[in-house]
Amino acid sequence: MWGDFEFQRAVERLYGAFAHHSLPADMSACEHCVDPAEVALFARTPLRKLTPEQLGTYLMNPGTWGDETEFPHLLPRLLEAYATGEMEHWLWPDRVTRRISGRWQNWPAAERDAVEHFVRVWWCRTLGGYPSAPPAQDLLDAVAELGVDIGPYLAEFAGVPGEAAARHLADVISDWAYGSSLRGDAQESMRRWLAGPTPVDVLLSAAVASASPEIADELADAAEYACLIGESLLAEGVLPDAVAER
């Protein structure tokens, strides 16, 4: 499990990789959408001091504030703010990853690696405690927007010790049962994983080990949902990623 030290290292690696990107001297914005004084304050605020309110207002005005040339400069602070829960009341983290989807894989290797490493550390850190801000499902949505293979992320539900990961999985199962979906190839990866034995195994094992009757019941109910979802997917002809997991 990734701890706070590894997380801070990932944060610093992210800032270091994007340090050569500066904020454009003239970051224009539509005066009808954003107060010019707010834009001016944003421009003179040091990157690491940008507040959730400033970042959230910026994200809520795509196309009317900036022209995307400013985004690489802002990316480390945006990802850090979401990962530390500062943006809990401002949109969802996929609003960040969606902005770089389809083009970040063409960035220099140091930038790509820093982003991918940060998101993996963020994911494992999320699964290590419960609850989290943002919730695991919201973070999984953000990962899917990057277009990466979510298989290793799903595998961490079984790889991270403790019942927190299982409780996050229970929430993901609940969201899925109510119609949650993922972007592109991630949707099919999730379907194959849910059709396999791992989700039920993780939930039942955690239910048996839990010292809390309430949490044990919560996990057992989620295991039942996961079983029903898996059976439904198998009936549809979904081929599970099950052979290597057994």
Side-chain angles (χ1 to χ4, degrees), residues 2 6-7 10-11 13-14 18 75 78-80 82-83 93 96-97 100 104 111-127 136 138-150 152-153 156:
W2 302 97
E6 186 60 36
F7 176 75
V11 169
R13 179 178 175 181
L14 196 61
F18 288 87
L75 184 61
L78 285 165
L79 289 175
E80 177 194 28
Y82 272 104
V96 176
T97 54
I100 63 175
W104 76 285
E111 295 178 5
R112 295 196 312 269
D113 292 347
V115 169
E116 198 154 11
H117 177 69
F118 179 83
V119 174
R120 282 297 301 275
V121 172
W122 179 8
W123 176 250
C124 292
R125 186 170 181 259
T126 294
L127 296 189
D138 289 352
L139 180 49
L140 193 59
D141 288 339
V143 173
E145 285 292 338
L146 288 173
V148 300
D149 177 12
I150 67 167
Y153 292 83
E156 293 295 352

Side-chain angles (χ1 to χ4, degrees), residues 22-34:
S22 58
L23 200 65
D26 181 20
M27 189 171 64
S28 60
C30 171
E31 294 186 7
H32 300 289
C33 304
V34 188

Side-chain angles (χ1 to χ4, degrees), residues 34-166:
V34 188
D35 183 348
E38 192 170 358
V39 177
L41 177 60
F42 189 102
R44 65 175 182 267
T45 301
L47 177 60
R48 297 196 187 209
K49 298 295 185 181
L50 287 170
T51 67
E53 290 73 19
Q54 288 176 301
L55 297 170
T57 303
Y58 164 76
L59 286 176
M60 290 177 67
N61 287 278
T64 58
W65 184 349
D67 60 6
E68 296 298 318
T69 58
E70 74 284 348
F71 206 76
H73 170 77
L74 299 173
L75 184 61
R77 176 61 184 135
L78 285 165
L79 289 175
E80 177 194 28
Y82 272 104
T84 54
E86 296 173 71
M87 300 294 287
E88 182 176 5
H89 303 297
W90 287 91
L91 307 172
W92 300 272
D94 65 348
R95 293 294 290 268
V96 176
T97 54
R98 192 180 305 156
R99 295 275 286 268
I100 63 175
S101 178
R103 57 193 176 94
W104 76 285
Q105 295 287 9
N106 296 320
W107 291 353
E111 295 178 5
R112 295 196 312 269
D113 292 347
V115 169
E116 198 154 11
H117 177 69
F118 179 83
V119 174
R120 282 297 301 275
V121 172
W122 179 8
W123 176 250
C124 292
R125 186 170 181 259
T126 294
L127 296 189
Y130 186 92
S132 68
Q137 179 62 54
D138 289 352
L139 180 49
L140 193 59
D141 288 339
V143 173
E145 285 292 338
L146 288 173
V148 300
D149 177 12
I150 67 167
Y153 292 83
L154 297 175
E156 293 295 352
F157 280 117
V160 174
E163 76 179 19

Side-chain angles (χ1 to χ4, degrees), residues 51 92 97 134 142 148 150 167 174-176 184 191 203 218 225 237:
T51 67
W92 300 272
T97 54
V148 300
I150 67 167
R167 297 189 72 187
S174 177
D175 286 345
W176 192 268
R191 283 163 55 85
L203 291 164
E218 164 197 313
Y225 275 123

